[in-house]
Amino acid sequence: NSIHPSLTLLSPSFSLPPSLSLPLSPSLPPLNLSLPPSPLSLSLPSLSPSPPPLSLSPLPPPPPPPPLSLSLSPPPPSLSPLPPSSPLHPDGSASLLHPSLHPPQGSLVKPQCELHPFLPQPADVQWAASLTDSALSPAHLQADWLSATILGLDGGLALSTVARAATATIHPHVVLSVLTETVSVRCGLGEPVLLDCRFWADPSSPLSAGGFAVEWRYQFRGQGRLVLAYDGKTDRLAPGPQEGAALDFAGLHAAGNASLVLQEAEARHSGTYVCAVHLPHLLAQVTVELEVVEPPSLSISPSPLPLAAPGQVLSVRCEASGFTPLPLELSWEFLGADGAPAALGEASLSGHREAWDGTYSQSSLLQLDTSALGRGGGLVCVARHRGGTRRSKVALEVIGFSTPSIQDSMAMVGMALLLYGIITLAFRNFAGSDGVRPKEKDQ
């Protein structure tokens, strides 16, 4: 294309005449350019076609962040891995090493752990008042305090701790710990009982140097009482300890063994026992459940049972006494000639009666119809209780059947022969005495 009469596009170069004047602006003189005679060649880069118009489209929303996953790094070579009995849980959480804190595989029941802030304060019981005889609180209490409670599986462990963390730190240090491995105890009447309780106090803590106090309390059905309390600082027992309750004082001071011993378990001893350990301004406690279980003693009246005729109704009573706790299930069974048990009809039950020693008694009255019992057998009273199953048996004889058995027939034949012999002998003796009398008269 022609751009100027004197300018021809040579594509991609162009040439200009030897002399060219171009006005640049109205206020400026013309610009004179002197060019060499030879035509000037300028090489221009090839021009690319204009880029297409820029189109904007909305960006898609960013994908959601992946879920947070935590993984535990393998232990360093210096540490031994967890034993096979305590593997890591599928969710990546570490297992606790105590066997009672490791739930069985597939179990939905897990150990419990609770953390709460703890406020140190003086003890509010008289037998621990000597631990905080000063009105001033020690400077060691100026920190963050936490209490932890851990419950194991199946009554295997209960742990209560009090920990101290220096202000503005996240590393608490245990100062007091109370432990029991008998969360639930079962025993029989009259047996000795040991309720386990042990404690540990950090010897490097200034609070452990101020002494300790141990307290055992009993709670049952909303009522409580003091069983035993001991002040380790003054070596004194609180007044009014329960009869038959004792502590191992040597083991208490030497190893922190605060276990309670009941010399003879009674029915009234069943309930919850609280083992509380006091340090100056600190308190930790665990609970122990005690259940005294005793199966019943059975007696049947009348005993022995009288002979019964077919169709006769007998009143039989079974008395269960001396058992604890409630409830009790009483039933009747009949053992035939073949020894197979058969359930009898429903019997009437009396209410529970409590004895002076806290045990219970109950009775069952059976109206026994002998029409369907054949020749008799064994009558059994069955008592099912948490302490076990007990049975009491009496013999039942039914007489007067229209079709006697072989034994009855043989007995009747023998009786007839005996009567026949007695009658014959008597007749002969009588006849012989009558024959002698005439001869005696002739003589």
Side-chain angles (χ1 to χ4, degrees):
N1 296 328
S2 177
I3 301 177
H4 189 272
S6 301
L7 186 61
T8 303
L9 183 63
L10 302 179
S11 183
S13 63
F14 63 91
S15 62
L16 294 175
S19 180
L20 177 64
S21 295
L22 295 176
L24 297 179
S25 69
S27 61
L28 296 178
L31 180 61
N32 296 322
L33 297 177
S34 298
L35 299 177
S38 62
L40 181 63
S41 298
L42 298 177
S43 298
L44 299 177
S46 60
L47 300 177
S48 60
S50 60
L54 181 62
S55 61
L56 299 178
S57 60
L59 296 177
L68 180 62
S69 62
L70 299 178
S71 60
L72 296 179
S73 59
S78 60
L79 298 178
S80 59
L82 294 176
S85 61
S86 305
L88 296 180
H89 293 295
D91 59 358
S93 60
S95 299
L96 297 175
L97 297 182
H98 197 283
S100 66
L101 299 178
H102 177 63
Q105 186 175 5
S107 175
L108 298 179
V109 181
K110 295 183 178 181
Q112 300 179 9
C113 179
E114 296 182 359
L115 292 175
H116 300 281
F118 182 81
L119 179 62
Q121 55 186 349
D124 56 355
V125 291
Q126 181 180 1
W127 45 85
S130 64
L131 303 179
T132 53
D133 50 3
S134 175
L136 300 178
S137 299
H140 187 71
L141 299 180
Q142 300 299 321
D144 296 329
W145 294 84
L146 297 174
S147 66
T149 302
I150 300 176
L151 296 179
L153 294 175
D154 301 327
L157 175 70
L159 177 66
S160 178
T161 63
V162 177
R164 177 186 182 272
T167 305
T169 63
I170 58 173
H171 301 289
H173 179 74
V174 175
V175 178
L176 175 62
S177 177
V178 181
L179 168 73
T180 179
E181 292 186 306
T182 57
V183 180
S184 179
V185 181
R186 174 183 288 190
C187 68
L189 283 176
E191 297 179 358
V193 185
L194 175 65
L195 304 182
D196 177 60
C197 180
R198 288 162 285 165
F199 76 94
W200 175 86
D202 182 14
S204 63
S205 174
L207 301 179
S208 63
F212 68 90
V214 176
E215 171 190 359
W216 278 94
R217 296 193 65 86
Y218 170 83
Q219 296 177 353
F220 184 67
R221 294 179 180 177
Q223 298 181 357
R225 67 173 184 268
L226 178 65
V227 178
L228 187 146
Y230 173 72
D231 184 358
K233 183 177 182 179
T234 60
D235 193 23
R236 292 182 179 180
L237 277 173
Q242 177 178 301
E243 183 179 358
L247 292 176
D248 180 10
F249 297 106
L252 180 61
H253 285 270
N257 184 8
S259 301
L260 179 67
V261 178
L262 301 178
Q263 296 178 358
E264 293 186 5
E266 302 178 8
R268 62 185 182 90
H269 291 161
S270 294
T272 303
Y273 289 80
V274 181
C275 175
V277 178
H278 297 264
L279 290 185
H281 302 277
L282 301 184
L283 168 65
Q285 62 185 22
V286 293
T287 59
V288 180
E289 296 289 338
L290 174 61
E291 184 181 27
V292 180
V293 179
E294 186 70 17
S297 300
L298 300 180
S299 61
I300 298 178
S301 60
S303 181
L305 296 178
L307 297 177
Q312 183 179 355
V313 177
L314 297 178
S315 295
V316 187
R317 182 182 299 274
C318 179
E319 182 75 19
S321 59
F323 65 91
T324 186
L326 298 173
L328 176 70
E329 180 184 349
L330 289 174
S331 61
W332 293 88
E333 292 179 356
F334 177 75
L335 300 179
D338 56 353
L344 298 175
E346 295 292 334
S348 59
L349 294 176
S350 67
H352 300 97
R353 300 178 298 274
E354 186 174 3
W356 61 272
D357 59 352
T359 60
Y360 299 92
S361 62
Q362 189 178 19
S363 62
S364 174
L365 180 62
L366 176 66
Q367 300 295 331
L368 182 61
D369 187 0
T370 60
S371 58
L373 300 181
R375 293 186 45 77
L379 185 62
V380 183
C381 176
V382 183
R384 293 178 174 85
H385 185 257
R386 295 183 63 179
T389 301
R390 296 292 184 268
R391 299 173 182 269
S392 182
K393 178 183 176 182
V394 291
L396 172 65
E397 296 185 9
V398 181
I399 62 173
F401 278 84
S402 58
T403 56
S405 62
I406 298 177
Q407 291 85 357
D408 291 340
S409 301
M410 295 178 62
M412 288 188 290
V413 171
M415 183 65 68
L417 293 176
L418 179 61
L419 292 176
Y420 176 76
I422 294 176
I423 294 174
T424 301
L425 181 60
F427 177 77
R428 288 179 179 180
N429 291 337
F430 179 76
S433 60
D434 290 345
V436 175
R437 288 177 182 176
K439 294 181 181 180
E440 292 177 352
K441 291 180 180 179
D442 294 342
Q443 294 177 359

